[in-house]
Amino acid sequence: MKKVKNRKPLDLLLFFILGIGVGIAFGMSSALLIRHNITEKKKEYRYEIVSLSSCDSKAKLYYQEEKRNVYLYCLNSIKVKENNNLLELKNYVQNHSDEIEEMVRKMTIDDEYEDGESILYRDYEQLSTTGFSILMCSTLDGNRDIYIGPKLMKYESGFCQVEENK
């Protein structure tokens, strides 16, 4: 039978210190993980997008401004969250006329069109839970309309055309 070596006191001390170090590291990482989970907050979104249950692929006039119309495409409504209140966008812009411009500044340019300078912007779930798109028309014939639709909205036939051409 083989004889087991007796451990030296120095070896035992190193194992003890190593064991304490591992225990402290484990305890600290557990505490940080628990703290992170407790303090983690749910992301607050500024806009609530309500899609239509079925889309007929026609843009609906949402509201009118002096020099442009704003349409919803495949959406039922878009609401702005302010001070824990949800306000319909068309009502909100009455007192905050630059809200749509503020929205597109925070969105990603997805496409630019050769009809003048029309631009399609997308929110990839940074401003809302579902994401949405805004087409800002700027055509050579003077159309400045706005189309707000779901995240994957495309430039459809009839978009960005002056009223008599629609």
Side-chain angles (χ1 to χ4, degrees), residues 15-149:
F15 281 121
F16 178 74
I17 292 171
L18 182 62
I20 296 270
V22 168
I24 289 172
F26 178 74
M28 289 177 65
S29 64
S30 296
L32 288 173
L33 183 60
I34 291 168
R35 182 175 173 215
H36 174 73
N37 287 338
I38 291 172
T39 59
E40 185 177 316
K41 292 183 180 176
K42 186 177 177 184
K43 183 170 180 174
E44 291 289 324
Y45 293 99
R46 177 142 173 87
Y47 304 99
E48 183 178 290
I49 310 300
V50 180
S51 297
L52 291 172
S53 55
S54 64
C55 179
D56 64 3
S57 298
K58 291 186 180 180
K60 308 270 191 270
L61 182 64
Y62 185 51
Y63 70 91
Q64 293 179 302
E65 293 180 347
E66 188 175 322
K67 295 184 180 184
R68 65 184 180 189
N69 293 327
V70 178
Y71 296 90
L72 290 184
Y73 176 77
C74 298
L75 296 181
N76 191 35
S77 71
I78 180 167
K79 296 180 181 176
V80 181
K81 199 177 289 182
E82 183 174 80
N83 299 328
N84 292 325
N85 294 319
L86 280 174
L87 304 166
E88 192 66 41
L89 177 67
K90 66 182 173 184
N91 299 327
Y92 186 80
V93 296
Q94 292 173 358
N95 296 319
H96 303 86
S97 60
D98 62 341
E99 184 64 18
I100 292 180
E101 285 74 14
E102 288 296 318
M103 292 165 79
V104 296
R105 277 190 210 112
K106 297 172 186 168
M107 297 171 81
T108 303
I109 294 176
D110 187 69
D111 214 344
E112 298 180 37
Y113 300 96
E114 296 178 4
D115 62 353
E117 295 179 9
S118 296
I119 300 174
L120 180 64
Y121 297 89
R122 295 207 195 277
D123 164 45
Y124 290 104
E125 299 164 20
Q126 300 299 311
L127 303 173
S128 70
T129 56
T130 59
F132 61 100
S133 300
I134 296 179
L135 174 62
M136 301 285 287
C137 300
S138 182
T139 64
L140 297 173
D141 58 8
N143 186 298
R144 299 297 180 261
D145 291 345
I146 298 171
Y147 294 81
I148 304 172

